[in-house]
């Protein structure tokens, strides 16, 4: 994740989802969550969040990959 291409916004309302990508980024020192689908049904998601063990942060990107599950 290129830091200059993302804006971080501290939030705590990451939606419950299924089939999302989740990994640890050692450069950021945070877990990264991407995409997935709402558990209640609906459109695939293309949002990216980081978790530092306390707070979720939504990353806004200039160029985001397409939504996927």
């Amino acid at each position: 994740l290129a830091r200059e291409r993302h804006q971080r916004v501290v939030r705590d309302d990451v939606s419950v989802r299924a089939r999302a990508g989740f990994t640890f980024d050692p450069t950021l020192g945070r877990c990264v969550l991407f995409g997935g689908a709402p558990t209640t049904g609906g459109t695939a998601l293309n949002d990216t969040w980081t978790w530092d063990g306390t707070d979720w942060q939504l990353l806004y990107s200039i160029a985001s990959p397409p939504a996927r599950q």
Side-chain angles (χ1 to χ4, degrees):
L1 298 173
R3 292 176 187 239
E4 66 275 0
R5 293 186 177 181
H6 295 86
Q7 175 185 4
R8 292 184 186 172
V9 178
V10 176
R11 300 192 40 189
D12 62 359
D13 59 350
V14 62
S15 62
V16 177
R17 59 190 69 201
R19 300 183 301 276
F22 192 77
T23 191
F24 180 75
D25 183 329
T27 302
L28 294 176
R30 298 172 178 266
C31 294
V32 179
L33 172 76
F34 175 76
T39 57
T40 57
T43 307
L45 303 167
N46 74 332
D47 51 354
T48 303
W49 294 82
T50 62
W51 172 251
D52 66 3
T54 303
D55 295 313
W56 284 102
Q57 293 184 338
L58 177 61
L59 299 183
Y60 290 101
S61 179
I62 294 170
S64 183
R68 49 184 95 153
Q69 305 179 41

